[in-house]
Amino acid sequence: MALVPWLYVLARTLPSTARVGHWNVAWVGLDALEALGLLSTAALRRRGDDRHRLTAAATGALLVVDAWFDTVTAAPGGELAAAVAMALGAELPLAAVCTALALGRERRTARDDLRLIPGRRPTRR
């Protein structure tokens, strides 16, 4: 609730346009973080490491932020159409997959847990 007055102040005082330095660096950095998050999530999940849920949650949030800022900062016309297409075709579906991974309730067995101990291999039956 404390943020509601602040949101009102921002809405009334921030300019509707701004010139931004290093715009390209900001966007490349965001996309690089998303790629790193997706790769980290895949690597952790492949190893059976439950920390993939953390990277999936963070990456999903980054993807939603990317979709939001792409669409609200795009110029009308072709640029906006491309931003909406990227949001609906890539960023938001990937965010949904990340959210599902972050919230997933996969069952682990004792055999799975033994597999995660360094140097230990489960016995075959």
Side-chain angles (χ1 to χ4, degrees):
M1 291 302 293
L3 285 177
V4 172
W6 179 243
L7 294 173
Y8 177 78
V9 169
L10 289 177
R12 302 280 294 154
T13 61
L14 284 176
S16 60
T17 62
R19 293 187 54 80
V20 179
H22 308 291
W23 187 251
N24 57 340
V25 175
W27 286 109
V28 168
L30 178 59
D31 287 347
L33 284 172
E34 292 167 357
L36 180 62
L38 291 168
L39 290 170
S40 299
T41 300
L44 289 168
R45 189 166 192 273
R46 178 171 285 209
R47 288 195 325 230
D49 190 329
D50 278 340
R51 290 177 295 177
H52 77 274
R53 297 180 196 289
L54 299 173
T55 57
T59 304
L62 287 173
L63 287 160
V64 170
V65 167
D66 192 353
W68 171 260
F69 281 105
D70 278 346
T71 55
V72 300
T73 61
E79 189 177 317
L80 179 58
V84 170
M86 280 295 294
L88 296 177
E91 294 156 346
L92 295 177
L94 280 172
V97 170
C98 286
T99 301
L101 288 171
L103 298 175
R105 303 280 188 250
E106 297 148 0
R107 284 205 168 176
R108 299 196 78 88
T109 65
R111 182 180 175 130
D112 291 334
D113 291 337
L114 287 175
R115 183 176 51 85
L116 298 177
I117 299 172
R120 174 88 188 227
R121 292 179 182 248
T123 58
R124 292 188 181 238
R125 292 184 189 194

